[in-house]
Amino acid sequence: RNEGTLRRELGIGPEIPLAGIVARLVPIKGIPAFLRAAKQVLEKFSDARFVIVGDGELREGLEKLTEELGIKKSTHFLGFRDDLENIYPDLDVLVLTSRNEGSPVSLIEGLASGCAVVSTRVGGVEDVVKDGKTGILVGRTTEEETAKNLGHVICTLLENPEKRLEFGESGKKDVLKRFGIERLVADLDGLYRRLLAEKGIL
């Protein structure tokens, strides 16, 4: 864990609540819900900061939205980054707000880094996050309702460092077991052996 790198870059200490999202800035990712949730979190944690890692066609509009919501000073658009190992360890909460999702790579990476995660319950997310055990899932309804529920859950986790730690540890253990390199190698090995056995070679 490269802890402290991102916080040094942002000029904030370890005590400052930090939530982030790692996603392409495109409509399907539902980023406005994250920004509206951030506004709600700031009502409770006025010093909280938010990072948006990724780029895309909606960036300009999203930056404008932070101004409209009055959260511009607390929100950092980091653009595309290839040093995610410096990002995840410094987040108190990793968020995903997708409207639909295949295999949520950012959640797998975040869990593997020991992040507490909060996500909308869409697509393949439930295959990755075990609700209440390795993270918290929120139903995707209207933009407003989704943002409100996300904001509430983020606040709950920010208030509860033990719970964040618990989610981080169990999430890490779970995804490394299910998505780690050893698992991949074992699955491939099993597949090849089965195919060879079917062909009578093994």
Side-chain angles (χ1 to χ4, degrees):
R1 283 170 70 92
N2 297 354
E3 248 164 295
T5 309
L6 175 63
R7 286 176 181 266
R8 275 194 299 279
E9 181 186 320
L10 300 177
I12 62 173
E15 74 293 343
I16 299 290
L18 183 61
I21 191 164
V22 176
R24 289 175 300 121
L25 308 188
V26 294
I28 195 85
K29 296 297 181 181
I31 315 278
F34 175 66
L35 298 180
R36 292 181 199 286
K39 181 181 171 66
Q40 191 180 320
V41 172
L42 284 164
E43 288 166 17
K44 214 168 208 180
F45 297 90
S46 57
D47 58 345
R49 298 290 188 87
F50 305 90
V51 293
I52 293 156
V53 182
D55 229 323
E57 66 206 53
L58 297 185
R59 179 162 176 169
E60 206 178 305
L62 292 168
E63 287 183 356
K64 207 170 277 171
L65 182 57
T66 64
E67 284 174 39
E68 286 167 23
L69 293 170
I71 63 169
K72 189 180 182 192
K73 282 210 296 264
S74 311
T75 311
H76 307 267
F77 284 84
L78 303 184
F80 175 77
R81 298 286 290 250
D82 57 7
D83 64 334
L84 291 174
E85 70 280 3
N86 295 329
I87 307 279
Y88 294 121
D90 276 2
L91 298 179
D92 290 312
V93 183
L94 172 68
V95 184
L96 187 77
T97 52
S98 294
R99 294 177 175 148
N100 198 5
E101 192 64 54
S103 191
V105 175
S106 72
L107 292 185
I108 295 170
E109 292 172 342
L111 287 164
S113 304
C115 274
V117 305
V118 171
S119 174
T120 44
R121 188 193 297 274
V122 293
V125 168
E126 280 185 288
D127 297 332
V128 173
V129 182
K130 294 180 174 169
D131 191 21
K133 291 197 177 79
T134 64
I136 299 179
L137 300 181
V138 165
R140 191 103 179 48
T141 52
T142 64
E143 197 71 19
E144 208 173 299
E145 191 69 19
T146 303
K148 193 173 144 200
N149 292 336
L150 286 166
H152 172 70
V153 170
I154 294 167
C155 283
T156 303
L157 281 177
L158 290 178
E159 284 165 341
N160 196 334
E162 293 83 12
K163 188 47 109 180
R164 293 203 307 271
L165 200 63
E166 190 189 307
F167 278 161
E169 284 176 1
S170 53
K172 187 175 190 172
K173 226 177 275 176
D174 183 58
V175 298
L176 289 179
K177 190 171 74 197
R178 295 194 296 136
F179 299 96
I181 190 73
E182 292 88 353
R183 169 68 198 271
L184 189 63
V185 170
D187 284 355
L188 276 175
D189 182 59
L191 175 68
Y192 285 136
R193 283 176 188 278
R194 204 167 60 247
L195 292 172
L196 290 169
E198 282 168 13
K199 295 214 177 320
I201 298 166
L202 205 61

